[in-house]
């Protein structure tokens, strides 16, 4: 039996990302909450692939921030590209988690 934990994953926010999220209008915060709900329940937050895109709220897509570093930061574009969330998935046996490093919306 493996000790590796599965979903739902923990999600932690860098203070500036949390502050930015909290300062956004309620409809945008609700959209980010929908993205969060999808990320913490998906089997593998890093390798979502094209087939999982319909699980995200409309107008959202996920991609590696740099294609040359597939295990690094990922970006979730939301609100049809008007905003993004940078996050990393830390795969640990004891406590795997998603860490949100930046939130932006214009």
């Amino acid at each position: 039996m493996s000790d590796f934990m599965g979903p739902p994953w923990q999600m932690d926010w860098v203070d500036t990302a949390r502050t930015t999220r909290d300062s956004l209008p309620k409809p945008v915060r609700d959209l980010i909450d929908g993205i969060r709900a999808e990320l913490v329940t998906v089997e593998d937050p890093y390798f979502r692939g094209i087939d999982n895109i319909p699980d995200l709220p409309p107008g959202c897509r996920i991609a590696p921030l740099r294609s040359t570093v597939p295990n690094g930061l990922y970006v979730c574009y939301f609100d049809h590209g008007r905003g993004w969330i940078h996050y990393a998935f830390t795969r640990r046996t004891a406590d795997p988690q998603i860490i949100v490093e930046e939130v932006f919306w214009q």
Side-chain angles (χ1 to χ4, degrees):
M1 183 172 162
S2 173
D3 290 334
F4 185 71
M5 298 172 64
W9 307 110
Q10 298 296 319
M11 183 175 270
D12 193 14
W13 296 70
V14 173
D15 287 342
T16 54
R18 170 70 72 187
T19 301
T20 301
R21 182 236 174 250
D22 292 346
S23 70
L24 295 173
K26 182 163 177 21
V28 178
R29 288 193 317 263
D30 292 344
L31 182 57
I32 291 172
D33 291 344
I35 294 166
R36 180 196 175 280
E38 174 62 22
L39 288 176
V40 299
T41 58
V42 72
E43 190 66 34
D44 189 344
Y46 262 157
F47 300 102
R48 293 181 47 79
I50 299 298
D51 296 35
N52 290 326
I53 294 296
D55 296 339
L56 289 169
C60 299
R61 64 186 172 88
I62 292 179
L65 193 59
R66 293 180 52 198
S67 62
T68 56
V69 187
N71 288 336
L73 280 176
Y74 267 54
V75 60
C76 176
Y77 297 102
F78 63 91
D79 197 15
H80 302 282
R82 292 185 191 100
W84 66 74
I85 299 169
H86 290 176
Y87 73 92
F89 178 60
T90 305
R91 189 181 299 271
R92 298 183 293 220
T93 302
D95 185 25
Q97 65 181 343
I98 298 169
I99 301 169
V100 178
E101 296 193 3
E102 180 180 24
V103 174
F104 175 82
W105 181 77
Q106 59 182 0

